[in-house]
Amino acid sequence: MTPILRSTLWVAFFGLVLAAWAMMYIMAMDMDLDLLGRPGEMGEMMRRMDPRMDMYMPMATFGPLFVMWGAMMAAMMLPTMVPTLRSYEDLMVSADGTRAGWIGVLLGYFAVWLVFAAAIAALQLALLFGGVIDMLGIARSRWFAAALLLAVGLFQFTRTKEICHGVCHSPMMYFLGQWRTGFAGGLRMGLGLGAFCAGCCWGFMLLGFAGGVMNLAWMGLATLFMVLEKLPQIGHRVTKPLGFALICGAGAVAGWPLITTTLHGG
């Protein structure tokens, strides 16, 4: 492996992440949304549209939604892959890993998230046509948003989360136990890591339906939390506090009318 090849691949990796974020920003602006996902005048008109109208609407069509979620996965999940790719590079020195294997790990991991993108795009369509969310992917009922926050918050305390997170934030242990050589071996390990990662982080993606799937602030915060969860030094220390915060958030959303009435002295 030459230093030039290594540098080129890392530059391409971060370039892809930046391109995905740029695409998300452009899409949000085209939909007349601010950074918090709040619609302007045109966005509000789009939000109120009936998905059953006899006209082409990208946000009510699987193809564009899959592309949107695919780009979102690249923007949000690839940054969390950095510690894993660094761990693989460490084994390229002490074991028989290769740069082809490194690429295989990356492709396998992202392939899992593309499958997840297809699944959540289909879920968004089901929720849209079921009247649960609007055209911008925002929950129509605060109770649905509160239930999402509560469910994801409680999941942070489950055994499934603990197992999946254990693999995600300690990729070196996974590599040592599942080590395979070459591109095919890297691809296989990447698929396994992606499956554990999807099992660990699926809830953060569903939270998009609480505040709008094109809410860039949510995307940034969710990415930050997932990166923190995967850092070997502190990952295990933030999982449960984050769950507690989400449960508190569910309570705040559910009781928002009472909170605002109290604050205004009603």
Side-chain angles (χ1 to χ4, degrees):
M1 176 185 69
T2 65
I4 294 178
L5 176 59
R6 177 181 185 274
S7 299
T8 301
L9 288 173
W10 275 110
V11 168
F13 173 85
F14 286 112
L16 177 61
V17 173
L18 287 174
W21 276 103
M23 181 178 174
M24 289 296 99
Y25 178 80
I26 293 171
M27 289 181 69
M29 294 304 106
D30 286 345
M31 294 164 68
D32 193 25
L33 302 174
D34 66 11
L35 295 180
L36 297 177
R38 295 174 301 189
E41 184 177 348
M42 188 186 78
E44 189 62 34
M45 291 175 60
M46 178 180 173
R47 181 181 182 180
R48 296 174 182 275
M49 293 175 73
D50 184 344
R52 293 178 177 78
M53 291 173 63
D54 188 19
M55 60 182 292
Y56 176 69
M57 291 179 282
M59 291 297 284
T61 307
F62 178 80
L65 282 179
F66 172 64
V67 172
M68 180 193 76
W69 278 105
M72 205 179 300
M73 296 304 102
M76 299 174 69
M77 297 315 302
L78 288 185
T80 73
M81 187 68 176
V82 172
T84 301
L85 293 175
R86 291 294 305 274
S87 294
Y88 185 90
E89 284 193 332
D90 291 340
L91 291 173
M92 291 173 67
V93 177
S94 57
D96 54 353
T98 62
R99 189 52 62 179
W102 186 92
I103 294 173
V105 170
L106 177 60
L107 292 180
Y109 176 86
F110 192 57
V112 172
W113 281 105
L114 284 180
V115 172
F116 183 88
I120 202 167
L123 175 62
Q124 182 169 344
L125 283 178
L127 294 174
L128 174 65
F129 284 91
V132 180
I133 61 174
D134 59 28
M135 191 68 81
L136 298 179
I138 302 173
R140 292 183 181 274
S141 163
R142 77 174 190 279
W143 296 110
F144 178 70
L148 273 179
L149 287 164
L150 179 63
V152 178
L154 291 175
F155 179 70
Q156 295 290 104
F157 297 90
T158 64
R159 178 65 176 156
T160 301
K161 173 74 180 190
E162 184 180 357
I163 293 172
C164 292
H165 179 248
V167 175
C168 288
H169 102 288
S170 299
M172 180 63 79
M173 295 302 295
Y174 179 85
F175 284 136
L176 292 177
Q178 306 292 329
W179 185 250
R180 300 288 188 279
T181 58
F183 175 80
L187 187 67
R188 179 173 172 176
M189 291 189 292
L191 289 169
L193 282 166
F196 277 108
C197 187
C200 179
C201 301
W202 60 269
F204 291 112
M205 303 304 166
L206 291 188
L207 288 182
F209 296 127
V213 296
M214 290 305 296
N215 183 331
L216 294 175
W218 155 72
M219 290 175 58
L221 274 177
T223 303
L224 175 63
F225 286 138
M226 289 186 288
V227 168
L228 291 177
E229 276 197 336
K230 290 189 176 184
L231 290 178
Q233 298 83 358
I234 63 172
H236 63 286
R237 296 183 180 179
V238 301
T239 302
K240 289 181 172 56
L242 177 58
F244 181 73
L246 290 171
I247 293 171
C248 291
V253 170
W256 188 247
L258 178 61
I259 294 172
T260 53
T261 300
T262 303
L263 291 176
H264 289 86

